[in-house]
Every structure is written in structure tokens, then in C-alpha cells.
Amino acid sequence: MTLAPCPARSLARVPHDSVLSNERQTVMMQVRSGSRRRRPLAVGAALGLCVAMVLSGCTSSKSSKAATSTGGAAATFHFKPLDSGGPLTVDALKQKSIDIAVLFSVDGHIPAYHWVVLQDDKHLQAPDHFVPAIRTSAATPAVTKVLDAVSAKITPDAIQNMVKSVVIDGQDADAVAKDWLQTNKLPGDLTATGNIKVGSANFPESQIVGDLYYEALKSAGVTVENKPNIGAREVYLPALENGSLDLVPEFTATLLTFLDPKATVSQDLATVTADAKKLAEAKGFTLLTPAPADDVNVYVVRSDTASKYGLKTISDLAKVKDELTMGGPPECPTREPCLLGLEKVYGLKFKQS
């Protein structure tokens, strides 16, 4: 038998072992304590260096209409402690030793293996979307137009496939960024001027998006300097504040809880962005328009599992009669955004393998 739920944060990094990836992991898991849905796992993790635990929701016992697998009471799922959206979890899903994996929404293995992300239909995770964080003095109308145009095209599928190209296929992040911009005809006829230093954190999706900003601004006419793979938020945010950097990719909910660990994270993206922007502007930088893509914990199943049980949402898990196994972070059973949330929000039942 195998267990059930699986998705991830945005950290999307299945194979990142970097410090920052740990930070984002915590952010993912913590994000749903009380009204805050998807915040770092570590409650109060002082400065964002959280260990992004994949959280995500399962199904609600209320939605138990006779599942694909047969009617009757929903089964008790098993939980298998593995890692935080890393190679152990990915390999376990590939080898069918688990049925559901807690991964990051940007994970390139999802498109590579045609896996299915179960929709978080009851909003267990908080909105943690990619967003340009730029020094207020550098955010001219022309520069803003270029960056907004790029962000508008960064969809969940787009970032997953770019991460796949870099992490799985071994391509250079900057080359992947150039190719994507060319395919999407960006920045088009937009032009801008100025001098901007672009940075990124030390995990693939941040580096890729940082390269997108860099290449788009350069093509638009801005004098740009690229400083990729800087490190954790504790390193690059001070640089953004003191002018050593002008622009970095950020994440809406994660940034909000980093700047104010006690902040209540809304389920509304516009509200989360506005709250984070207010705190950012007090430090000399601002946030532009968030991208459609996020970097959160998601629950993922293989396509054969999705077809067998008719799974599209986390709530659909409540209709499953067979015992399934979910694999994810060892801390998952004690985290609101993970097993606790799946049980409280979706009505699923778990037991440790």
C-alpha cells in the first residue's frame, strides 16, 4: 500500500542543497499556521533561512463521494519520511515506493515525467509568487514596463520547464533565459536606460529568473551587471538595501514573513504583495507585479495514479479507498502546512510507515 498527498514550494528545488534552498523550504512549510497558509516550516524561523518543507494539502473527507477506487470510507494514508523535495522523494515516486510526493511547484521533474500536481483547492498554501524586488530609485517607468512584461510570461509551466532544462538537462541558466526571452519575443520594442546590478539567490529558479531580468533589461538598452548565486536572503537583502544590488527575484509570501515573522499571510495574492511591498519600501526597495508562477509546496502523483483514482485536486484524495503512501520531509507530520493541515483542512487521515 502506499500513501497519499504530495506537492511542493516553491523552492521547487528537488536537488538543491544550498543554504537558500533550505530557507525557502522552511518558508514553505511554515506558511500555514492559523490564518497564514504557507509560511516556512520552522515557526518563527528568525530570518527566512527556513528549511522549505514541502507542504501541501490532501483531500477533504467531506468530498468523499465513491472514489474511482471504489466507494466506502476513505482509507488511512501512510506517511514515509524522506527529504524536503529532494532526490529521495523524487526517486521514491519514480520507483513507485510512494504514491504521493511533497515537492516544490517549480520542480523540473514534474514535466520531465509527466507527473500530476494536485490542485490545492482549499488553499492550504499561501500565495508565494515570483516578484521583482528592485531599489525604488531604479524602478523607473521604463524599467518597470520591461520587468512587468517578463513577469507576465513566467507561468507555472514555463518555470518548471526552464528548471528542467537547467537541473535535469544540464543547460546553462543564462542560455536558457536567453532562449526563453527570444521565444516569447521579449522585451519586444520596449526600451529603457539606467545602470542596474541584478542578483539572484543560490538555487536554480532564482538564478533563472535573475538571468531573465538581466537579459531582458540588457536587450532593452539598460547597462546591467549580473551577480548570480549570491546566497541566502540574509545576504542579498542587505545588499539590495545598501545599493550593492538593485534588483533580485523575490517571493511574495516568503518575503513578507521574512520582513515580519509575525505577519498574517492572506490567501489573496494582491493583499500579500501589498503587505510585503509596504515593508520593503521602508527599506528602500519596492515590489513590482508578481508573476503567475509561484514556488510553493505541492502534492504530486504519477499520471497512472491520477488516472486510476480520478485525482485532480487534493480533495479528491478523500474519495480514495485504497491505502496510499505519501513521502516528504521528516518534519511533515508536525507541520500545519503538511500532514496537520491535510488532516484539518482536507480531512485526510495518516499514519507513519
Side-chain angles (χ1 to χ4, degrees):
M1 322 237 161
T2 49
L3 228 222
C6 177
R9 152 235 189 25
S10 268
L11 248 182
R13 34 204 147 286
V14 73
H16 319 179
D17 295 311
S18 66
V19 177
L20 194 354
S21 90
N22 285 340
E23 164 192 61
R24 292 259 314 123
Q25 287 174 321
T26 297
V27 172
M28 295 322 224
M29 263 228 114
Q30 218 174 280
V31 119
R32 195 198 183 268
S33 176
S35 63
R36 335 165 133 186
R37 301 213 160 158
R38 168 223 166 179
R39 228 205 327 153
L41 239 195
V43 171
L47 298 154
L49 248 178
C50 321
V51 175
M53 312 207 91
V54 276
L55 16 144
S56 185
C58 288
T59 94
S60 167
S61 54
K62 297 180 181 178
S63 63
S64 64
K65 284 180 172 176
T68 304
S69 150
T70 37
T76 293
F77 297 113
H78 297 274
F79 176 73
K80 185 174 184 177
L82 294 169
D83 56 12
S84 296
L88 294 181
T89 303
V90 169
D91 288 344
L93 190 61
K94 287 192 326 189
Q95 300 303 321
K96 300 189 177 182
S97 60
I98 62 173
D99 304 296
I100 304 159
V102 182
L103 298 176
F104 296 113
S105 59
V106 299
D107 198 320
H109 293 85
I110 295 172
Y113 295 103
H114 306 291
W115 289 341
V116 177
V117 174
L118 299 182
Q119 180 186 348
D120 182 13
D121 52 313
K122 293 191 176 181
H123 309 295
L124 183 62
Q125 310 298 316
D128 209 16
H129 291 238
F130 289 86
V131 63
I134 183 170
R135 283 181 60 78
T136 306
S137 58
T140 65
V143 165
T144 297
K145 284 183 179 180
V146 173
L147 294 174
D148 282 351
V150 172
S151 290
K153 295 285 188 177
I154 305 176
T155 62
D157 286 347
I159 191 64
Q160 283 179 1
N161 281 296
M162 284 189 279
V163 170
K164 172 185 175 294
S165 295
V166 173
V167 175
I168 299 177
D169 300 336
Q171 296 181 41
D172 177 73
D174 190 58
V176 169
K178 285 181 181 178
D179 181 65
W180 184 85
L181 289 169
Q182 182 175 17
T183 298
N184 286 277
K185 297 179 172 55
L186 291 169
D189 58 1
L190 295 175
T191 60
T193 58
N195 293 275
I196 294 180
K197 296 179 287 295
V198 182
S200 61
N202 56 344
F203 51 89
E205 61 268 36
S206 178
Q207 294 170 31
I208 292 167
V209 174
D211 285 339
L212 291 176
Y213 296 165
Y214 168 74
E215 293 294 348
L217 289 172
K218 182 169 69 172
S219 294
V222 176
T223 298
V224 286
E225 179 181 355
N226 200 11
K227 298 183 176 183
N229 195 31
I230 291 175
R233 186 167 280 103
E234 286 80 357
V235 176
Y236 69 73
L237 277 191
L240 190 61
E241 293 174 33
N242 66 31
S244 299
L245 287 178
D246 298 300
L247 171 66
V248 295
E250 257 299 353
F251 303 89
T252 52
T254 300
L255 179 63
L256 173 59
T257 56
F258 182 89
L259 296 177
D260 180 4
K262 295 182 179 180
T264 295
V265 180
S266 168
Q267 268 306 115
D268 178 65
L269 175 58
T271 299
V272 170
T273 305
D275 290 345
K277 183 174 182 177
K278 182 177 180 180
L279 295 172
E281 290 182 342
K283 295 178 175 294
F285 65 98
T286 189
L287 302 181
L288 303 184
T289 304
D294 58 15
D295 196 357
V296 301
N297 297 128
V298 292
Y299 294 95
V300 180
V301 298
R302 294 181 302 277
S303 58
D304 61 323
T305 302
S307 297
K308 179 178 180 179
Y309 297 105
L311 302 176
K312 293 182 179 179
T313 68
I314 294 174
S315 289
D316 288 335
L317 289 171
K319 302 181 295 184
V320 177
K321 184 179 178 181
D322 295 340
E323 291 185 358
L324 299 179
T325 297
M326 178 176 79
E331 309 90 320
C332 186
T334 62
R335 307 301 182 178
E336 283 289 340
C338 211
L339 259 60
L340 293 183
L342 292 177
E343 292 176 334
K344 293 178 182 178
V345 176
Y346 284 97
L348 301 181
K349 297 182 184 302
F350 291 87
K351 64 183 178 183
Q352 292 231 10
S353 296

